[in-house]
Amino acid sequence: MRLSSGIWVGAPTLVVALLLPLVLFTNPYNRGLLVLIVIYAVAGLSLDYIMGEMGQFSFGHAAFWGFGAYVSAKLALDLGVSPWIGFVAAPVAAGLVGLLIGYIALRRTRGLELAIVTLGFGVLAWTVALRWRPVTGGPSGLRQVPPPSIFGWEIRSELAYYYFALVLLLVVVFVLSRLRRSRFGRAVRSIHENEDLARSVGVSATKYYVIAFAFACSLVGFSGALYAHHFRFVNPNLLGLQYMFIFLIVVLVGGTGSLWGPVLGALIFVLVSEWLRVLQEYRFLIFGVVLLLVVLFMPTGVFPTMRRVIRRLVERRGSDRDANAPDADDRADRTRAG
Amino acid sequence: MALLETTGLTRLFGGLRAVDRLDLRVEEGEIMGLIGPNGSGKTTALNLITGFIKPTEGAVTYEGEDVTGSPPHDLAGRGLVRTFQITTLFENLTVRDNVLHGSHLDNPTSLIGALTRSRRHREQHAALDARVRETLAFVGLERRIDAVARDLSAGEHRYLEIAIALAAKPRMLLLDEPATGLNPEEAVYLMNLIRTLRRRGVTVLLIEHNMRLITNICTRVTVLNFGAKIAEGTPEEIVENEAVVTAYLGKRRGA
Ligand SMILES: Nc1ncnc2c1ncn2[C@@H]1O[C@H](COP(=O)(O)OP(=O)(O)OP(=O)(O)O)[C@@H](O)[C@H]1O
Ligand SMILES: [Mg+2]
C-alpha cells in the first residue's frame, strides 16, 4: 500500500527532477536555482524534523546552517582539506554544538526554552562571524571555497552539482523515512505525542530529544556545507534571520510532518522568489504577508491543505464508492495535521 | 522481602500534606488496593512511587533497592509501570502504533537495522508486531488495530491504556482508577483482565473508587485519608473498619 503509493508519486517526481535541468532550466543561472532548491529542501527537512517530529522550534536553524558552511569552507581554505571531509566535518561539528545547545535547553522544559536558547545562539554565532575577522573574514566572509571533485573531476558546473546534490537529497529523504519507523524515531514521536506516557513506558525523554535536536542541527549543517561548496563563498548573512525566515517558509508552505512537504516548499519558494526578483528586498514583505496568511488559514501548510481539499472534492463525487473508508495512514495523517 | 515498599513517604504542596508519612508494603504477586476519598493523596502517592514527582521526605524501595527520586523511565526499565487517572494515549496514532510506541523497552531493533531493513531487522520487527497483536488480543482490541486511538470508545480507551502499559513488560503495574468510564459489563472484563495478569506473575497496585472491583480482586487494601494511611487489611476487614466508614461518610478530622 504505502510502498506502491510512494512509488507512484516518487518515480514520476524523480524523472521530472532529473529532466528539469535539461528541459526547463537550461541556462547556468536557472540551474543554480535548482541547486538552491535542493539545498533548501535539505534545510527544510531538518527544520521540519524539529517542528513536525519533535513539536519544538529553533530560531537558530540558519545559524547551524551557516556554521556548517563556515566549518567546511574554513577546512578547505586553511587546511586544504577535501570538501568531502568537509561534508562530514560540517554535520559533525553542527551536531556537537546542537548537542550542547539541546542539553542546555531541553533538560527540563519544552517549547519556549529551546526557541529562546537557539535565538541566543543565533545572535551569538552571527556576531562572531561578523567580528572575528582573522578566522571568519568579517563582514565579507570567505571566498574561493573550492568545489568537490570526483576522480579528479571537479563538480563545478551547475548541472553536475545539481545531480550530485539531488542524490544526497534522496539519501536524506530515504534515511528520514526509515528513521521514523525505527525505535529511535518512535521514541521521539511518542515524546511529541504525549511525554508523560512516553516516560511511563521507559522512554528517556530528555535523552532522545537532545539527540534528535542534535541530529536536525547536523543535517542542516550538512546543507550549509553543500551551499558553501557550490556558491563558493560564505558570509555572516548565512547565519542570519533572512535564511531562518526562508527555511520557515519552506516548511510552512510545504506543511509540517511529511517528507515531500519541505521539498515542495523549497521548490515553490525559490521559484516564486525568482519571479519577484524585481522587487528586491520588498520580496520579504510579500513573503511575510504570505506567511501570516498561511499560518492563519492553513496552519497545517499549503500542501496538506490543498491535498485535503482535493480529496474532499474527490470523495464527494465518488461518495457511493469508498468515501467512508479512508485508509489508516491517511487518517493518521489527517488527525495529526488537525 | 516486599517487592515495593515506601517508608515515611511524604509530599507537601505548599502547606498541604498531600501524602503524609505513608508506609506501604506490596508483596510480589499481590493485588494491593489503594482507596480513599477524593483528594486523599492516592494519585500523588502513585506519582511519588513512579518518579513523576519527588518526595519531600521518605523513601521508596523497589526490588530491595532504594529508588527514591529515580526518573520514571528508569523505573519503567526495571518493570515499574503506571497508567494515568485521566485517559492518556497517543491519541493521533493508530491502536497498533500506540502499542508499538509503548514497546520501547521491548523493541530489540537497532538503528542500522532500521536503516538497512536487514533480514535480522525484519525478523525482529515481525516478532515485535506479533507481540503487539498478542497484547491487543489480550485486552480485546485486536479488531480495532487500525483505528485511530481518539476514535475509540471510552471503554476501549481504558483497555488500550493497559495494553500500552503491558507493552512495557511490567513486573509491577500501578493502575490509577482504570474502571472510570467503564460500564458494569466492561468493568467485569477489566476485573478478569487484572486477575489474569496476576496469574501471569504481575504484581498490581490498584487505585479505584469502584468498591465492587476492589473487594472482588484485591488481596489487601490500604486506605488513605488526608494523605495518611488510616487502615490496611483484607477487603473484608476494610469494609467493616470504623475509621474507613467514617472517612467515606465525609466526617472531617477533629469534627
Ligand atoms: N501538583 C499539585 N499541586 C498542588 N496540589 C496538588 C497537586 N497535586 C495534587 N494536589 C493536592 O493534593 C491532594 C491529593 O491529591 P490527589 O490527586 O493525590 O488525590 P486522589 O486521592 O488521587 O484524589 P481523586 O480520588 O480525586 O483522584 C489534593 O488536595 C490535591 O488538590
Ligand atoms: Mg487521583
Side-chain angles (χ1 to χ4, degrees):
Chain A
M1 254 303 294
R2 179 169 265 272
L3 183 75
S4 64
S5 71
I7 283 178
W8 285 115
V9 181
T13 312
L14 186 62
V15 171
V16 170
L18 289 172
L19 289 179
L20 274 182
L22 306 177
V23 184
L24 278 172
F25 294 72
T26 44
N27 69 50
Y29 178 80
N30 287 341
R31 286 174 178 172
L33 294 181
L34 288 180
V35 175
L36 208 54
I37 290 171
V38 173
I39 289 171
Y40 287 170
V42 175
L45 282 165
S46 67
L47 181 59
D48 186 42
Y49 196 80
I50 297 172
M51 293 172 66
E53 292 293 299
M54 300 174 64
Q56 303 293 302
F57 189 72
S58 167
F59 271 112
H61 213 58
F64 282 101
W65 189 67
F67 179 65
Y70 269 92
V71 167
S72 199
K74 194 75 190 153
L75 283 176
L77 288 170
D78 283 17
L79 303 176
V81 168
S82 147
W84 294 104
I85 296 189
F87 287 140
V88 176
V92 168
L96 287 176
V97 177
L99 220 46
L100 180 73
I101 301 284
Y103 181 75
I104 293 169
L106 292 166
R107 252 175 324 166
R108 249 167 286 145
T109 55
R110 303 278 172 256
L112 196 59
E113 192 157 340
L114 184 64
I116 292 172
V117 172
T118 50
L119 181 63
F121 169 71
V123 173
L124 186 82
W126 181 74
T127 313
V128 169
L130 202 62
R131 300 282 169 210
W132 198 14
R133 278 167 190 275
V135 173
T136 64
S140 52
L142 309 169
R143 287 159 194 287
Q144 318 272 286
V145 182
S149 44
I150 296 181
F151 309 121
W153 176 70
E154 285 190 340
I155 309 177
R156 190 187 274 266
S157 79
E158 280 74 14
L159 185 67
Y161 207 88
Y162 169 64
Y163 285 136
F164 162 68
L166 189 64
V167 169
L168 293 173
L169 171 64
L170 288 176
V171 172
V172 167
V173 169
F174 176 82
V175 167
L176 284 172
S177 77
R178 294 224 156 157
L179 195 64
R180 281 180 165 192
R181 279 148 179 265
S182 71
R183 181 172 187 263
F184 176 87
R186 286 187 190 279
V188 171
R189 186 69 196 280
S190 71
I191 300 165
H192 180 190
E193 286 289 329
N194 193 319
E195 183 161 351
D196 277 342
L197 184 56
R199 296 202 300 161
S200 81
V201 292
V203 177
S204 170
T206 302
K207 181 181 100 182
Y208 278 97
Y209 257 27
V210 170
I211 295 175
F213 176 72
F215 165 70
C217 292
S218 144
L219 195 54
V220 82
F222 174 65
S223 166
L226 278 179
Y227 185 94
H229 291 288
H230 178 66
F231 294 97
R232 310 199 45 204
F233 72 90
V234 293
N235 69 33
N237 275 345
L238 302 189
L239 302 127
L241 214 55
Q242 185 188 331
Y243 283 97
M244 188 63 232
F245 195 61
I246 290 174
F247 301 157
L248 189 60
I249 292 177
V250 164
V251 170
L252 289 182
V253 166
T256 57
S258 78
L259 293 176
W260 291 108
V263 179
L264 199 81
L267 179 82
I268 294 173
F269 171 79
V270 170
L271 294 186
V272 172
S273 170
E274 214 28 51
W275 285 327
L276 298 177
R277 246 164 82 83
V278 283
L279 302 176
Q280 296 177 351
E281 265 69 55
Y282 293 107
R283 274 184 292 180
F284 280 89
L285 199 72
I286 294 181
F287 286 131
V289 173
V290 169
L291 199 60
L292 214 66
L293 293 177
V294 166
V295 171
L296 282 177
F297 298 109
M298 305 184 216
T300 58
V302 175
F303 183 40
T305 307
M306 265 166 32
R307 205 171 56 172
R308 217 169 318 141
V309 169
I310 291 171
R311 187 171 290 150
R312 211 166 292 158
L313 290 176
V314 171
E315 273 177 17
R316 198 167 298 161
R317 270 203 207 142
S319 59
D320 24 41
R321 274 186 301 133
D322 52 4
N324 293 321
D327 68 68
D329 278 347
D330 168 37
R331 282 173 63 174
D333 268 6
R334 225 186 300 176
T335 47
R336 182 194 328 153
Chain B
M1 184 190 73
L3 179 59
L4 177 83
E5 189 168 4
T6 73
T7 44
L9 197 63
T10 302
R11 172 68 201 216
L12 304 181
F13 287 120
L16 178 80
R17 296 181 91 79
V19 172
D20 190 6
R21 283 162 293 177
L22 176 64
D23 295 329
L24 190 73
R25 276 175 71 92
V26 184
E27 304 291 336
E28 176 113 52
E30 269 197 293
I31 300 181
M32 166 68 92
L34 186 61
I35 65 171
N38 289 326
S40 56
K42 305 180 294 293
T43 298
T44 306
L46 193 154
N47 283 335
L48 289 169
I49 292 168
T50 52
F52 276 83
I53 58 175
K54 303 227 180 308
T56 313
E57 261 172 67
V60 180
T61 314
Y62 176 69
E63 293 175 327
E65 226 174 280
D66 186 355
V67 295
T68 318
S70 296
H73 62 89
D74 276 352
L75 293 170
R78 306 182 55 160
L80 199 61
V81 181
R82 57 97 47 102
T83 65
F84 297 83
Q85 180 167 355
I86 299 167
T87 305
T88 302
L89 302 161
F90 303 120
E91 293 183 359
N92 303 323
L93 306 180
T94 62
V95 168
R96 173 195 270 111
D97 277 340
N98 264 269
V99 182
L100 269 174
H101 284 71
S103 305
H104 183 71
L105 295 166
D106 189 32
N107 185 343
T109 60
S110 71
L111 191 59
I112 298 297
L115 293 180
T116 57
R117 292 259 162 98
S118 64
R119 193 196 159 117
R120 190 176 141 81
H121 173 85
R122 279 177 282 135
E123 282 166 6
Q124 286 172 332
H125 206 275
L128 178 63
D129 206 52
R131 289 198 293 279
V132 167
R133 285 173 178 284
E134 231 169 75
T135 306
L136 283 171
F138 179 67
V139 301
L141 281 179
E142 72 273 42
R143 290 175 55 204
R144 304 290 270 146
I145 191 161
D146 289 320
V148 175
R150 66 154 56 126
D151 296 340
L152 300 183
S153 72
E156 289 171 330
H157 278 150
R158 288 292 176 190
Y159 298 145
L160 181 55
E161 275 190 288
I162 294 178
I164 295 169
L166 291 180
K169 295 270 176 280
R171 180 173 181 193
M172 177 165 183
L173 187 60
L174 302 94
L175 300 167
D176 197 348
E177 303 196 17
T180 307
L182 299 189
N183 63 38
E185 204 177 310
E186 290 171 327
V188 170
Y189 188 85
L190 175 74
M191 188 155 81
N192 291 328
L193 214 98
I194 297 174
R195 278 206 184 110
T196 313
L197 281 178
R198 185 195 176 198
R199 246 178 282 127
R200 293 186 180 185
V202 180
T203 305
V204 178
L205 181 79
L206 175 65
I207 298 178
E208 201 33 82
H209 281 299
N210 182 337
M211 281 310 284
R212 222 172 66 107
L213 194 64
I214 290 284
T215 50
N216 265 311
I217 60 172
C218 290
T219 50
R220 280 189 312 138
V221 180
T222 296
V223 189
L224 295 186
N225 197 22
F226 295 105
K229 180 159 83 178
I230 57 166
E232 188 189 325
T234 64
E236 296 77 32
E237 288 164 0
I238 289 302
V239 290
E240 283 166 12
N241 185 304
E242 205 161 314
V244 176
V245 176
T246 317
Y248 269 94
L249 289 178
K251 285 209 180 155
R252 296 276 142 193
R253 245 188 312 203

